[in-house]
């Protein structure tokens, strides 16, 4: 039984590593194969550039949000204040207690308070003022305190 091309390639890679070679080139008629170790410099062979070995890079790390997420109790429009002329119910860094209002959601011309479910400090608003939100969508991050 004749070895497959994958077996040949595996054999070349093992030979490259075992002998500590920088590269191995195999030619069969007009076909040519150049196998280069990852640490070997990239060169040009017969006027054709040979691609550098692929470099493995770690996947980007997702931003981790620490804190309790205050979820929208319903869908609608989120407001941080009761009107454009009044200050917001809460700002980043404000301390909140269980039951404190941090915003409103308007649904079908009715305004519903969004209240804190924990004692803590507001870390971040996850939605913009006057943004449409869905039920159970995270609105605010609150750092829980022991009080």
């Amino acid at each position: 039984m004749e070895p497959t091309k994958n077996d040949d390639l595996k054999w070349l890679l093992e030979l490259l590593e075992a002998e500590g070679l920088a590269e191995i080139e195999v030619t069969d008629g007009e076909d040519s194969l150049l196998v280069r170790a990852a640490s070997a410099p990239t060169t040009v062979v017969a006027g054709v550039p040979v691609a550098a070995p692929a470099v493995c890079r770690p996947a980007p790390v997702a931003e981790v949000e620490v804190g309790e997420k205050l979820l929208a109790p319903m869908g609608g429009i989120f407001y941080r204040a009761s009107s454009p002329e009044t200050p917001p119910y809460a700002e980043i860094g404000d301390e909140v207690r269980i039951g404190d209002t941090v915003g409103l959601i308007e649904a079908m011309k009715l305004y519903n308070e969004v209240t804190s479910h924990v004692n803590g400090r507001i870390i971040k608003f996850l939605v913009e003022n006057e943004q449409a939100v869905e039920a159970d969508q995270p609105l605010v991050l609150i750092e829980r305190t022991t009080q």
Side-chain angles (χ1 to χ4, degrees), residues 47-118:
V48 178
V50 177
V55 177
C56 293
R57 291 184 175 85
V61 177
E63 183 178 320
V64 176
E65 296 177 337
V66 178
E68 295 281 333
K69 291 179 182 175
L70 176 58
L71 305 179
M74 65 187 60
I77 306 296
F78 177 73
Y79 294 97
R80 291 187 52 200
S82 60
S83 74
E85 297 81 31
T86 60
Y89 288 105
E91 296 282 1
I92 294 174
D94 285 356
E95 294 290 326
V96 292
R97 313 260 323 137
I98 294 173
D100 286 353
T101 302
V102 297
L104 299 172
I105 292 183
E106 176 194 3
M108 298 176 57
K109 303 290 182 192
L110 295 174
Y111 291 87
N112 301 280
E113 291 184 342
V114 177
T115 58
S116 178
H117 63 292
V118 296

Side-chain angles (χ1 to χ4, degrees), residues 119-132:
N119 295 329
R121 183 179 59 83
I122 295 184
I123 300 172
K124 182 178 182 180
F125 283 89
L126 302 172
V127 296
E128 297 294 321
N129 188 46
E130 300 182 15
Q131 180 178 332

Side-chain angles (χ1 to χ4, degrees), residues 16 19 23 26 52 65 71-72 76 84 90 95 113 130 141 144:
L16 183 78
E19 297 296 324
E23 63 185 37
V26 179
E65 296 177 337
L71 305 179
E95 294 290 326
E113 291 184 342
E130 300 182 15
L141 278 180
R144 187 185 288 263

